[in-house]
Amino acid sequence: MRDLLHGLDVIDDADVLRGLSHDEAEWAPFGTAVAAVRPRDTDDVRRVVAACAQRRVPIVPRGAGTGLSGGANAVDGALILDLSRMNRIIGIDTENMTATVQPGVVNDDLKAAVAGHGLWYPPDPASAPWSTIGGNVATNAGGLCCLKYGVTRDYVLGLEAVVGGPAGEYGTVVRLGRRTTKGVSGYDLAGLFTGSEGTFGVITEITVRLRPARPAAPRTVVGAFPSLVAAGEAVAATTRAGLLPAALELLDHACLRAVEEWKHLGLESGAAALLLAQLDTPGPAGDEEAAAVAGAFRAAGALWAEQSTDEVEAEALFAARRLAYPAFERLGPVLTEDVCVPRSRVPEMLSLIEAIAARHGATIATIAHAGDGNLHPMILAPAGDEGARRAAQAAFEDMLTAAIGMGGTVTGEHGVGLLKRAGMRRELSPAVLAMQVAVKQTLDPLNLFNPGKVVG
Amino acid sequence: MRDLLHGLDVIDDADVLRGLSHDEAEWAPFGTAVAAVRPRDTDDVRRVVAACAQRRVPIVPRGAGTGLSGGANAVDGALILDLSRMNRIIGIDTENMTATVQPGVVNDDLKAAVAGHGLWYPPDPASAPWSTIGGNVATNAGGLCCLKYGVTRDYVLGLEAVVGGPAGEYGTVVRLGRRTTKGVSGYDLAGLFTGSEGTFGVITEITVRLRPARPAAPRTVVGAFPSLVAAGEAVAATTRAGLLPAALELLDHACLRAVEEWKHLGLESGAAALLLAQLDTPGPAGDEEAAAVAGAFRAAGALWAEQSTDEVEAEALFAARRLAYPAFERLGPVLTEDVCVPRSRVPEMLSLIEAIAARHGATIATIAHAGDGNLHPMILAPAGDEGARRAAQAAFEDMLTAAIGMGGTVTGEHGVGLLKRAGMRRELSPAVLAMQVAVKQTLDPLNLFNPGKVVG
């Protein structure tokens, strides 16, 4: 390959390569890559894709590698395309409220850049300080504020991608989607590429929609609950009352304890679960909303529920939410679940998670974008304990089955990658799976782009 | 065919068939169908699709026929699938804020049904009193409130469709998408079907996301402008100020006069254009927003701009907006344009429309979802005047070219159908067109579903 990649930033140091050969999905297999390339621009990507096609070398694109499903894991003999150096914000169009970026721009860096213009890029996965917009688009990342503001898909207007197949030779650069707020000129290929985990081509540029900056001080309502199920009922009651918080997050006791032991934020309360609601409606209407949410929490059986009047405390609560995953991971390898169920089934799903944990003797801590019905039970397995690992994996599959049984999905926002392929085959019908495979084969007939992921 | 369709509601009366063989797109060609069927349920559709596949009869699905691009026009020898009798609201899930409907449910009927539960289905094409959710999904319909609340695509969670090809024999029923608020299990085929104008299969059931009902009394701000360009500048100034009205509509003088001559609402002011902004932020923050919008209008050179304190007057203004198209159509055949440009280019596009009208001697009245950059110039041609018809068509194509030149699109929300096929081929690159064709061929290898539309 080297002969075809001259002038490019090629990595073949085995240790570096190994680090670039997987994401953060625990226990997802990964193979041995032949090399990695760090392109600087679209033309570099075009050259790499053309070279890989010539030698039939699979291409595995990656951003920051913060994925939790193995979507960025190498297959044997693959070339890794590390897009983290393509991290330029190409333009911020304040008049049209859009930004155009290279895929390696970090989510929080985009947020900070547009904030300087009074604008806001809403999608906020917990990985926002590290994960890239390219990776966010590849997985259609969600986050905390999806309940009110939607997911990455809702912000992607247009893409530039390097593709092959029907578009022409591998290495063809195409522009999909648009720059306007509306547009229906042809099939929505930009939408199709969003969430496709790099299996149709390599995204080299992204135009996202922005929103006006939010009011400075959102209200935070906190409720402590005697059981997970009571917290789940409070979620259902909140949405039943027509309330639409910007975020509605759940942390169970195990999460709070793990954060507390690490960061000493003074948050542990002895309650089985905390619910955090953030409300960003401005003015007195926002106060009314906050009061109504606190009322819904109390009516559902909260031990206590109140609006946080202390901004520092409110920030600490959301910081605890964001720290839950790394805090829990300090205790050992963590397999993170990502089921999404209809909101009304959240109490039932939380019950089932407790039952599944008990059945397998697994240690499970749950954080959840509860308002979306999107639950992230984290299954802990002490390192080196093969029995615990097997129990964790059995619990993982059981939770997928439980979610499917409730009309839910095996992945709300992390993607199929490798870890959810079996679950996806249980969720979708054979006819729909056949359509998925056919679309993949059509757009990537050589199966070069991230082979084995999603439908592989 | 009759032998295969026994027990179904088959229409072969030539006059009725002719009425069902086209939508409202002026001058779009349509062929002679062999028959129409009005299915009652998914199983009827399944039978029709299987029968058509057996005899290789093309299938042209339609809802209310309010389309403006010819997307529902028959081809010779086609069977028309009139879905208007599949008009049952299957369920409204208040806890999860979703509704599931058959495709023939009229948009306003869905709105009314969910309003009874304190919920709201936002997409509001001007055709909402007549157009169906199935047709809205097929064209990814927009409307007035897209600026703040998005288009049909943003509300489609899951679809049931009757398909063929990779899924199995023609007549296979599949469920695409999901019922949960988030979900990334496999490629987004529900999104791909949305806006595909019936070319991949027949949509037989739709699950849409709902929102909590809006506050009862939105604010309306009206501004009168001495020129179209000044009105366009006010649009740019409004969004530049970070203001996000629920609707921001423009009517030019020709529209106002046409409505006035028909309905005598007392709205004609002598101004070159009116801008109507609707603001639905509750409480005092909404008043502040309304005052800021009026300020932006004045700063951009409005003759006058004020918040309407009279609810009846405010309703009359939006009624005038909705009546503009039928009012103008009373004057003769109207070819409706649907370009979308970046918001900042609205003033320039309005200038170009004036120049194009002058160049071709065409009579053009413009209504616009101005905040979206989505303009609907309506080109009038007196019946029987062949020269005027040709001038109208030339102006139509010139406006498409102008929009493309500004980084815009040939269709913001009406769809490609037949009228925008040439424009789409100018807008998209050959590589992207080839991808579009390949996806169509993959999902409908017999080319039975609405052949000739979009990529045909």
Side-chain angles (χ1 to χ4, degrees), chain A residues 24 81 124 190 196 257-258 276 310 398 402 411 413 422 425 453:
Chain A
E24 292 179 12
L81 203 49
D124 61 347
S196 68
R257 200 173 48 209
L276 308 179
D310 177 347
D398 279 6
T411 175
E413 57 181 12
R425 282 194 290 271
K453 311 300 161 53

Side-chain angles (χ1 to χ4, degrees), chain B residues 363-427:
Chain B
T363 304
I364 300 184
T366 296
I367 48 177
H369 309 304
D372 290 321
N374 186 194
L375 288 77
H376 295 310
M378 299 181 290
I379 319 167
L380 186 70
D385 181 340
E386 186 59 18
R389 188 183 66 76
R390 276 201 303 272
Q393 288 177 322
F396 183 85
E397 293 297 331
D398 279 6
M399 285 190 271
L400 299 186
T401 302
I404 295 168
M406 284 181 201
T409 176
V410 301
T411 174
E413 58 181 11
H414 291 171
V416 173
L418 296 171
L419 293 184
K420 298 295 174 72
R421 289 186 305 174
M424 184 181 84
R425 283 194 289 271
R426 301 204 294 280
E427 178 182 338

Side-chain angles (χ1 to χ4, degrees), chain A residues 149-393:
Chain A
Y149 293 104
V151 295
T152 301
R153 169 71 189 83
D154 299 310
Y155 293 87
V156 173
L157 289 176
L159 299 174
E160 179 190 79
V162 178
V163 299
E169 288 180 10
Y170 278 73
T172 297
V173 180
V174 292
R175 290 196 165 270
L176 307 174
R178 55 188 204 274
R179 281 185 287 166
T180 50
T181 53
K182 289 169 165 174
V184 289
S185 186
Y187 305 129
D188 183 8
L189 297 181
L192 186 65
F193 271 58
T194 303
S196 68
E197 305 187 21
T199 60
F200 295 146
V202 181
I203 294 170
T204 48
E205 195 180 292
I206 302 144
T207 297
V208 295
R209 180 200 304 273
L210 304 170
R211 295 179 61 100
R214 286 196 290 181
R219 282 90 178 155
T220 299
V221 175
V222 194
F225 293 86
S227 68
L228 276 175
V229 173
E233 307 258 351
V235 170
T238 302
T239 50
R240 200 185 302 131
L243 298 162
L244 197 60
L248 182 51
E249 297 288 312
L250 177 145
L251 288 93
D252 76 359
H253 185 247
C255 290
L256 288 167
R257 200 173 48 209
V259 173
E260 197 49 39
E261 282 168 5
W262 185 23
K263 295 289 182 182
H264 311 292
L265 299 172
L267 296 172
E268 205 188 347
S269 67
L274 281 193
L275 274 184
L276 308 179
Q278 193 172 66
L279 299 126
D280 63 0
T281 304
D287 291 323
E288 281 167 35
E289 264 186 26
V293 168
F297 283 9
R298 283 184 214 111
L303 300 169
W304 53 266
E306 47 199 89
Q307 184 178 340
S308 172
T309 49
D310 177 347
E311 222 175 291
V312 177
E313 181 198 69
E315 289 224 350
L317 287 164
F318 276 91
R321 164 64 187 85
R322 287 182 190 279
L323 289 169
Y325 176 70
F328 204 62
E329 215 184 9
R330 288 172 67 244
L331 310 179
V334 171
L335 192 58
T336 305
E337 192 53 274
D338 173 41
V339 294
C340 192
V341 298
R343 261 186 294 254
S344 62
R345 311 292 290 265
V346 166
E348 197 179 342
M349 188 69 207
L350 289 168
S351 276
L352 277 177
I353 292 166
E354 291 184 311
I356 289 167
R359 183 158 72 237
H360 294 285
T363 304
I364 300 183
T366 297
I367 47 178
H369 309 303
D372 291 321
N374 187 193
L375 288 76
H376 295 311
M378 299 181 290
I379 319 167
L380 186 69
D385 181 341
E386 185 58 20
R389 188 183 65 76
R390 277 201 303 271
Q393 288 178 322

Side-chain angles (χ1 to χ4, degrees), chain B residues 29 50 52 77 172 211 302 398:
Chain B
C52 286
T172 298
R211 294 178 63 99
D398 279 6

